[in-house]
Structures are given as structure tokens and as C-alpha cells.
Amino acid sequence: MVYLHVKLLLAVEYMLYEKISMEIERIKYLLSELSVDLTLYSQLYGLEEAVEVLNQFNGLVFGRLQHCLIERIFIEFAKLMDKGRMGKNENLSLEYIIKKNNLENDQAVSDRYDEIKDMYKKTNIKNYRNKLLSHNDVKSRLESVKIKVSITPNEAHELLKSIHGLINEIEIKLGLSSFRVENDTYMIFPSGKSGTSFINKLSKCV
């Protein structure tokens, strides 16, 4: 009976370990997707020469696409920085991962998370998302109350890099990784698939 009890406890522990691992892998996937968006934005809209090509080809279309890409990036950052729980619903956010694994009082994790929260707060993305992306705030829409977001592409990459660092720290604490890694948030695309390649091809058409 003791053997069966121990075996059951080990099975439950393994299932919990698998769930934790799955949640963190999903967060890492979301970070990877954000890296793709940020890299494409930098390649398409980060250089004057590239923007000139886009404007010459069709400024209206690429201007709208730029706006959509910016808002997607803002939303993805905002979701990562959401509360871990809102009412009965749990959010797969940084806070959720930290609290779920009882790491709120871990100094290394806490320091990294506090730094990320400070960086995020300065951008004003949260306010922008709440007022204009998730809702049509009356004052913001009708009374010309402008909500400014303060973040450059390079600062967005730095914020993302810091989030990668936090997740890696959590993985180490949970025994999911045995070493620290330095993540490059600039994605390397297959040959001919990058935003830069797209600009080069498009430049031949204008």
C-alpha cells in the first residue's frame, strides 16, 4: 500500500511538472511570435529608405498595415503583463507563471519582474490598450483626450529581452533549465522571407 501511495504521489507530481512545463513553453512561443512581429516591424518601418519604398508603392495600404502591426505588438505585450487572475478567469501572463509556482518572494525573480513592470509602465501601453484597443473610451474617442504610447522599436526589443530573461530565471528555479541563456529578440528568417528581402523586391517595382 505504501508503494502504491508513493507511486500515486509521483504520478501527480509528474503531471503537475508537465503542466508547468507546457505553460512556460507556451509563454516562450508567444515571445517568439512577438519577436517575429518586432523584427518585421524594424525591417519594414525602421529605416527611412524602406519607408520611402513602401510609400512610393502604396502609402495608404502600408500605412494601415503599420498601424495594425503596432497595435498587435501593444496587445501582445499587454496580455503578457496582465494580472494572473481576473475574476474567475486565469490569464497566461508573467504574473500567473510567477504566482502559480510560488516565486513571488524569490529575490532574483522579483527583481527581474519589477524591472519589467517599470519598463512597461513607462510605455503607457496598458492605458492605451484599456482605453482604445479593448474599449472605446468616450473621452479618448470623442473629446480628443490623447493617450500617448512612449516606446521605440529598440525599447520594445529591450522589454522583450528582459521578459525572456525572467522566463529563463523561472525555468532555472523550477529545474526546467540548468543554465542562463541570452536571447536575441531579432529573428533570422529563411532566405528571401525577411522584411528586408521584401523591401528589396518591392523597390524594383517602383
Side-chain angles (χ1 to χ4, degrees):
M1 291 296 292
V2 174
Y3 172 74
L4 289 176
H5 181 66
V6 171
K7 191 173 181 180
L8 179 61
L9 286 176
L10 289 174
V12 171
E13 185 176 321
Y14 178 76
M15 290 172 61
L16 291 173
Y17 179 86
E18 282 292 294
K19 184 180 180 182
I20 291 169
S21 179
M22 182 176 66
E23 289 171 343
I24 290 180
E25 285 303 316
R26 188 62 186 178
I27 285 278
K28 289 165 68 175
Y29 170 78
L30 296 175
L31 296 182
S32 177
E33 288 288 286
L34 195 42
S35 289
V36 170
D37 292 338
L38 279 173
T39 301
L40 284 175
Y41 184 88
S42 297
Q43 292 175 346
L44 293 174
Y45 301 103
L47 297 173
E48 288 186 14
E49 296 85 350
V51 173
E52 185 177 345
V53 170
L54 296 177
N55 284 334
Q56 286 180 0
F57 191 83
N58 194 320
L60 174 62
V61 170
F62 286 109
R64 299 302 297 173
L65 289 176
Q66 179 185 21
H67 185 72
C68 291
L69 188 53
I70 288 173
E71 291 195 340
R72 171 176 163 78
I73 290 169
F74 288 172
I75 287 173
E76 292 306 312
F77 271 126
K79 289 191 292 186
L80 288 167
M81 298 303 297
D82 270 340
K83 293 289 185 181
R85 177 183 290 275
M86 294 182 179
K88 295 181 179 180
N89 299 317
E90 292 180 318
N91 297 314
L92 189 58
S93 63
L94 299 182
E95 182 182 281
Y96 169 85
I97 293 294
I98 291 170
K99 289 187 174 181
K100 183 73 175 289
N101 296 289
N102 301 312
L103 293 171
E104 304 100 306
N105 297 320
D106 183 275
Q107 192 63 52
V109 170
S110 181
D111 287 347
R112 285 180 179 271
Y113 188 42
D114 286 344
E115 179 185 11
I116 290 167
K117 287 190 291 185
D118 286 342
M119 294 170 70
Y120 178 67
K121 185 177 180 180
K122 290 176 183 177
T123 67
N124 203 35
I125 289 175
K126 180 179 179 180
N127 196 31
Y128 184 85
R129 193 274 292 267
N130 291 342
K131 296 288 187 181
L132 297 177
L133 296 184
S134 298
H135 309 281
N136 276 327
D137 179 69
V138 172
K139 289 184 178 180
S140 302
R141 291 296 186 187
L142 300 182
E143 299 180 18
S144 299
V145 178
K146 292 187 177 181
I147 300 176
K148 294 183 179 179
V149 176
S150 178
I151 187 169
T152 65
N154 285 339
E155 289 170 342
H157 277 284
E158 285 301 312
L159 177 56
L160 182 57
K161 188 175 181 179
S162 295
I163 295 174
H164 270 295
L166 171 63
I167 295 300
N168 181 227
E169 188 69 42
I170 291 172
E171 287 182 303
I172 292 172
K173 299 295 181 181
L174 298 177
L176 299 173
S177 178
S178 57
F179 52 88
R180 287 182 170 79
V181 294
E182 188 81 10
N183 289 91
D184 188 351
T185 58
Y186 288 89
M187 296 293 289
I188 298 177
F189 298 106
S191 178
K193 301 297 182 181
S194 68
T196 303
S197 296
F198 177 76
I199 293 295
N200 290 336
K201 293 174 184 177
L202 201 62
S203 66
K204 298 175 183 178
C205 302
V206 298

